[in-house]
């Protein structure tokens, strides 16, 4: 079978996967895409679209048997990544591995393995009941942070500052956990950073970039508001330590293929705490847009070639750009009109997740954010200036 006749299945067809799906036409005439809901943006890049919640493994398997794909590709979603690895492992297609995908969906298992390897982490406890949470509080102190063990984008994450909140916030977090378990952790104040990595065909691992995040606490929900690549406020010795710890983490978890995305907090004593890690690329176009610009690596091609089992040589060229992912934040109200004149040459991507007639509310998790812009410059001063220029051209007209 020639390359163009091979069938590629994408699990996940939202805006985060769009850049990868666009690239697939170079490799195949038949591209199948699944998504939990219809998405008109992807229609012209696909031959067939199927509605699929990636948590529905049995339906995913029926779709696999219907089309008999030669490769399965996912990006930026742990649930899609797990379904891909389930199907690829069962039907002998290239993938990162079912165990690695399971770890990416379970923050507690990651913590347990990394604890055995003496990787610094916040105090933590798996909690299946409010009583479990109370018992953990006896071993530590407030504030705590509670998270679903298997979700992303700060969905369901709560900070608990007093005991009266335990019951309410436990159940709120639990509703966002597919496995119906949460992890409670000591709340660490500090600088939020991420480290993105990649494996070549021989299993050699490379740290690609270190980013720094700004996090806003909205009604005790931590929400990322800005991500800056590369970090400019961390000294070189700490960067080297971050990279070394990241090597240790991926080795401990036996990651050996694909992409990795790891989050850390650096406290005021310059201690580096692992927050979480996953054997996939970061969300909101981190891999397909941001890392591509920073490293000159076409990550979309990388993911597709990996899925097809094609050999590829990684040539990493670290470009001297500063890139910012800025999440948009608008005041509350009912939208009458959206004005967006965003045509700047240094704008890599932008999105507004709002429509006229809708009511804007504060974004209390990543999936509720109002939109974003991704742009680059040669220095930080120009980056701030560009942000101001771009944001001036995005306006919401509200109904009175």
């Amino acid at each position: 079978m020639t390359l163009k006749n091979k069938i590629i299945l994408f699990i996940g067809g939202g805006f985060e996967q769009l850049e990868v799906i666009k690239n697939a036409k170079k490799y195949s005439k038949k591209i199948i895409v699944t998504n939990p809901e219809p998405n008109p943006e992807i229609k012209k890049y696909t031959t067939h679209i199927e509605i699929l919640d990636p948590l529905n493994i049995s339906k995913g398997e029926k779709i696999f048997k219907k089309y008999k794909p030669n490769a399965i590709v996912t990006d930026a979603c742990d649930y899609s990544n797990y379904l891909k690895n389930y199907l690829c492992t069962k039907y002998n297609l290239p993938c990162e591995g079912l165990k690695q995908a399971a770890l990416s969906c379970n923050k507690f298992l990651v913590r347990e393995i990394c604890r055995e390897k003496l990787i610094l982490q916040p105090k933590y406890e798996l909690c299946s009941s409010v009583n479990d949470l109370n018992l953990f509080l006896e071993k530590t102190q407030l504030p705590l942070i509670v998270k679903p063990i298997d979700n992303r984008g700060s969905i369901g994450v709560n900070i608990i500052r007093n005991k009266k909140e335990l019951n309410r916030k436990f159940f709120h977090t639990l509703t966002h956990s597919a496995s119906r378990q949460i992890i409670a952790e000591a709340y660490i104040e500090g600088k939020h950073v991420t480290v993105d990595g990649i494996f070549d065909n021989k299993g050699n691992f490379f740290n690609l970039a270190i980013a720094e995040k700004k996090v806003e606490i909205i009604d005790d929900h931590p929400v990322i508001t800005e991500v800056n690549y590369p970090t400019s406020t961390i000294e070189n010795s700490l960067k080297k330590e971050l990279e070394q710890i990241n090597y240790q983490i991926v080795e401990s978890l036996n990651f050996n293929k694909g992409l990795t995305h790891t989050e850390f907090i650096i406290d005021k004593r310059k201690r580096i705490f692992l927050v979480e890690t996953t054997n996939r690329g970061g969300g909101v176009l981190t891999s397909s847009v941001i890392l591509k610009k920073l490293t000159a690596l076409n990550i979309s091609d990388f993911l597709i070639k990996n899925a097809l089992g094609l050999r590829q040589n990684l040539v990493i060229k670290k470009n001297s750009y500063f890139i910012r992912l800025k999440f948009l934040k608008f005041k509350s109200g009912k939208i009458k009109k959206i004005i967006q004149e965003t045509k700047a040459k240094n704008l890599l991507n932008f999105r507004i997740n709002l429509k006229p007639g809708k009511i804007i509310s504060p974004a209390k998790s990543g999936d509720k954010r109002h939109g974003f812009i991704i742009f680059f410059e040669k220095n930080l001063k120009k980056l701030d200036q560009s942000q101001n220029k771009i944001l001036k051209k995005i306006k919401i007209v509200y109904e009175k």
Side-chain angles (χ1 to χ4, degrees):
M1 182 185 290
T2 62
L3 185 60
K4 279 285 187 178
N5 289 327
K6 292 196 173 185
I7 301 167
I8 300 177
L9 170 64
F10 284 86
I11 300 176
F15 78 88
E16 292 180 299
Q17 295 80 33
L18 184 58
E19 294 301 314
V20 189
I21 293 168
K22 285 179 182 178
N23 266 42
K25 282 201 170 182
K26 294 189 293 186
Y27 299 95
S28 175
K29 294 178 182 177
K30 194 166 185 180
I31 299 163
I32 318 302
V33 178
T34 73
N35 203 50
E37 56 191 26
N39 180 10
E41 289 179 278
I42 64 170
K43 191 172 182 180
K44 63 180 177 181
Y45 305 107
T46 66
T47 47
H48 299 279
I49 299 172
E50 296 277 355
I51 301 302
L52 173 68
D53 180 340
L55 287 169
N56 191 337
I57 291 176
S58 60
K59 185 176 180 181
E61 193 159 7
K62 286 179 183 177
I63 292 170
F64 178 90
K65 290 178 178 179
K66 177 180 178 180
Y67 293 102
K68 298 179 175 62
N70 306 101
I72 306 177
V73 183
T74 62
D75 189 28
C77 174
D78 292 321
Y79 297 145
S80 298
N81 186 49
Y82 184 84
L83 178 54
K84 175 193 78 173
N85 280 275
Y86 169 88
L87 293 170
C88 287
T89 302
K90 188 171 181 178
Y91 295 99
N92 200 30
L93 295 177
C95 64
E96 292 80 15
L98 191 57
K99 183 177 180 180
Q100 288 76 7
L103 289 173
S104 296
C105 290
N106 194 314
K107 295 177 175 65
F108 177 71
L109 286 180
V110 168
R111 290 232 176 275
E112 289 287 276
I113 293 170
C114 289
R115 178 179 60 83
E116 291 176 3
K117 300 296 182 179
L118 304 179
I119 294 166
L120 184 62
Q121 306 177 86
K123 290 180 182 178
Y124 65 92
E125 191 74 49
L126 182 69
C127 296
S128 302
S129 67
V130 175
N131 186 54
D132 289 343
L133 194 54
N134 274 303
L135 290 173
F136 176 59
L137 183 56
E138 290 176 8
K139 303 174 190 176
T140 182
Q141 60 185 15
L142 294 170
L144 300 178
I145 187 164
V146 288
K147 309 171 182 178
I149 66 167
D150 52 7
N151 218 323
R152 57 168 289 220
S154 70
I155 297 169
V157 177
N158 282 278
I159 299 169
I160 299 175
R161 301 187 186 276
N162 64 71
K163 289 192 73 172
K164 292 179 181 179
E165 300 174 337
L166 280 175
N167 194 73
R168 176 174 61 84
K169 291 185 175 179
F170 169 85
F171 283 106
H172 178 266
T173 298
L174 194 64
T175 61
H176 293 281
S177 174
S179 59
R180 301 301 179 247
Q181 289 183 311
I182 72 169
I183 187 167
E185 300 172 358
Y187 181 67
I188 307 293
E189 295 269 7
K191 188 172 292 185
H192 294 250
V193 298
T194 60
V195 183
D196 293 286
I198 192 169
F199 287 95
D200 67 12
N201 285 124
K202 296 178 181 178
N204 299 310
F205 181 72
F206 303 91
N207 287 301
L208 290 177
I210 299 175
E212 185 175 339
K213 301 187 292 187
K214 291 184 179 179
V215 177
E216 182 179 351
I217 308 300
I218 302 174
D219 293 340
D220 283 334
H221 303 286
V223 180
I224 299 166
T225 58
E226 184 175 301
V227 186
N228 288 289
Y229 281 85
T231 178
S232 60
T233 64
I234 298 174
E235 57 262 43
N236 287 332
S237 60
L238 267 179
K239 289 179 186 177
K240 289 179 181 177
E241 189 177 350
L242 277 164
E243 290 181 339
Q244 187 56 45
I245 294 171
N246 203 39
Y247 275 117
Q248 189 181 356
I249 290 167
V250 299
E251 184 178 34
S252 299
L253 299 172
N254 198 28
F255 293 168
N256 50 46
K257 292 180 182 177
L259 303 172
T260 68
H261 183 75
T262 309
E263 300 178 19
F264 299 94
I265 292 177
I266 303 173
D267 73 0
K268 60 184 178 183
R269 293 165 56 188
K270 298 184 179 179
R271 295 179 299 175
I272 298 172
F273 291 84
L274 169 64
V275 175
E276 62 186 63
T277 190
T278 184
N279 195 182
R280 61 159 174 82
V284 197
L285 308 179
T286 295
S287 303
S288 57
V289 174
I290 296 174
L291 292 181
K292 180 181 178 182
K293 187 69 178 178
L294 272 179
T295 65
L297 273 177
N298 189 324
I299 304 291
S300 298
D301 273 356
F302 170 83
L303 292 172
I304 295 167
K305 286 180 178 178
N306 261 11
L308 288 165
L310 301 176
R311 295 192 63 80
Q312 50 187 318
N313 295 318
L314 293 185
V315 180
I316 301 169
K317 179 184 175 183
K318 297 207 174 178
N319 295 318
S320 56
Y321 293 118
F322 289 88
I323 301 179
R324 179 171 295 164
L325 164 59
K326 179 68 178 178
F327 291 101
L328 303 176
K329 182 180 178 182
F330 301 106
K331 69 178 184 179
S332 297
K334 190 172 183 179
I335 304 169
K336 181 179 181 180
K337 184 179 179 183
I338 300 172
I339 300 170
Q340 46 186 22
E341 300 172 359
T342 45
K343 296 180 181 179
K345 291 181 179 179
N346 63 335
L347 186 66
L348 296 173
N349 209 293
F350 80 95
R351 186 176 188 85
I352 296 178
N353 301 321
L354 304 168
K355 294 179 179 179
K358 297 292 184 181
I359 296 174
I360 301 176
S361 302
K364 297 181 182 180
S365 62
D367 62 324
K368 303 298 182 184
R369 287 182 292 226
H370 303 156
F372 63 85
I373 53 175
I374 303 174
F375 57 102
F376 72 96
E377 279 292 359
K378 284 288 188 179
N379 61 60
L380 283 173
K381 184 178 180 181
K382 286 186 176 180
L383 197 70
D384 290 332
Q385 291 171 346
S386 284
Q387 176 174 307
N388 292 334
K389 289 179 182 178
I390 294 169
L391 291 180
K392 283 179 181 178
K393 295 182 178 182
I394 303 173
K395 297 177 182 178
I396 301 290
V397 179
Y398 294 87
E399 290 189 7
K400 295 180 179 179

